[in-house]
Amino acid sequence: DEPDRKRRRVVTLDPDAAPLENDIPKLIQEDMDDTWKTLNANRKAMVKAAGSEAPTPEVLASYQDVDQKSWHKSTCKGIPTMKKSNNLIVTGGKDKQIVVYNETEQVVQETFHFGTVPTCVDVASTMVVAGDTKGKLTAYSLSSTDNVGLSASTKVDGTLVDVQVHPTHNQIVAATSKGKVLIFQSVLEEKKLQLVSTLFKEEEDGTTTFTCGALHPDGLLYVAGTKDGTLWTWDFRSMTL
């Protein structure tokens, strides 16, 4: 479902521009909108077919654990966070490693030393991203890309409770425990993550704590969950909360 990487829009921003508050730079909005049009059209066809292909309760009940994988160090067991995208699975372990497993080829494709225990991870065909309790956000390029071996890190205020590669593959969206949603432009070839937008509730008194977040697969809606059980949803096209 990902857009063709060869046809991705090249987005060049002023590297010295200050991040916008409750707004997104026009070039990035256009990038997100173009990607949404492609993915939304593809997904409509998939949704029509999904009903007939969905497994019945009887089929689900017959599923069994047929295999177990050990990707992290056995001396420091535990996987606090995991994500899947198409044929790639990424896990963040208590051994402070980020592991990317290729489900199609049945092999560990990448292993990155993150340095701390991650609180959140995400993977796409171009990169892996991870965050921790101290606000460290790191993006790693995958070996299948032109930017093989490159990485970039930055630091934010608060614990990162969610981090996701936007379907454009140009942006990273993150949510922090401080009640902020952050959008970064990924410039891995320059080993840089540029903060371009900070989203928050303007009348908020600063006490809101985000505990989780999720980006719609088509990339224009982001939902953050709060400690008191409220869901906040941003529309990146209209910039409304």
Side-chain angles (χ1 to χ4, degrees):
D1 297 335
E2 295 183 354
D4 186 341
R5 285 181 286 145
K6 295 181 180 179
R7 300 175 59 188
R8 286 169 54 206
R9 176 195 291 263
V10 176
V11 179
T12 304
L13 302 175
D14 180 354
D16 298 320
L20 302 180
E21 292 189 347
N22 287 326
D23 199 2
I24 298 176
K26 184 178 180 181
L27 284 175
I28 288 182
Q29 279 189 317
E30 291 173 350
D31 192 21
M32 290 180 172
D33 198 52
D34 285 349
T35 301
W36 173 83
K37 290 175 182 177
T38 300
L39 293 178
N40 188 255
N42 294 341
R43 205 172 303 282
K44 284 181 179 178
M46 292 172 57
V47 169
K48 289 182 180 179
S52 60
E53 297 175 356
T56 64
E58 291 76 19
V59 171
L60 289 174
S62 69
Y63 285 179
Q64 299 180 23
D65 182 4
V66 296
D67 194 11
Q68 293 185 6
K69 304 294 182 182
S70 180
W71 304 329
H72 293 269
K73 295 178 181 178
S74 59
T75 54
C76 193
K77 295 181 179 179
I79 299 176
T81 179
M82 177 176 72
K83 280 286 187 70
K84 183 179 187 297
S85 176
N86 295 322
N87 68 319
L88 298 179
I89 300 172
V90 60
T91 56
K94 288 187 176 180
D95 60 355
K96 304 178 184 179
Q97 305 282 343
I98 307 295
V99 175
V100 180
Y101 181 78
N102 189 311
E103 196 173 27
T104 302
E105 299 177 7
Q106 296 284 295
V107 296
V108 171
Q109 181 173 310
E110 315 270 358
T111 300
F112 303 102
H113 180 65
F114 187 53
T116 60
V117 177
T119 54
C120 49
V121 292
D122 193 28
V123 63
S125 60
T126 55
M127 73 177 86
V128 172
V129 290
D132 69 6
T133 58
K134 296 182 179 180
K136 180 176 75 170
L137 170 62
T138 302
Y140 304 93
S141 63
L142 295 183
S143 58
S144 56
T145 70
D146 294 335
N147 294 325
V148 57
L150 296 182
S151 64
S153 292
T154 190
K155 188 82 178 287
V156 305
D157 184 27
T159 295
L160 283 159
V161 299
D162 180 60
V163 60
Q164 298 192 40
V165 181
H166 193 275
T168 59
H169 296 264
N170 288 323
Q171 291 87 40
I172 296 168
V173 184
T176 77
S177 61
K178 299 289 187 178
K180 302 286 180 65
V181 173
L182 309 174
I183 300 176
F184 294 87
Q185 179 74 1
S186 172
V187 194
L188 279 179
E189 57 270 25
E190 298 178 13
K191 298 183 178 181
K192 179 181 179 181
L193 299 177
Q194 180 181 353
L195 178 63
V196 296
S197 299
T198 301
L199 311 180
F200 53 92
K201 194 172 183 179
E202 293 188 2
E203 62 271 24
E204 180 59 34
D205 59 8
T207 60
T208 295
T209 298
F210 286 160
T211 58
C212 59
L215 180 67
H216 188 280
D218 295 345
L220 284 185
L221 294 176
Y222 189 83
V223 180
T226 69
K227 192 174 182 179
D228 64 3
T230 304
L231 293 178
W232 293 7
T233 304
W234 276 271
D235 184 326
F236 289 167
R237 174 185 283 167
S238 63
M239 282 315 305
T240 54
L241 172 61

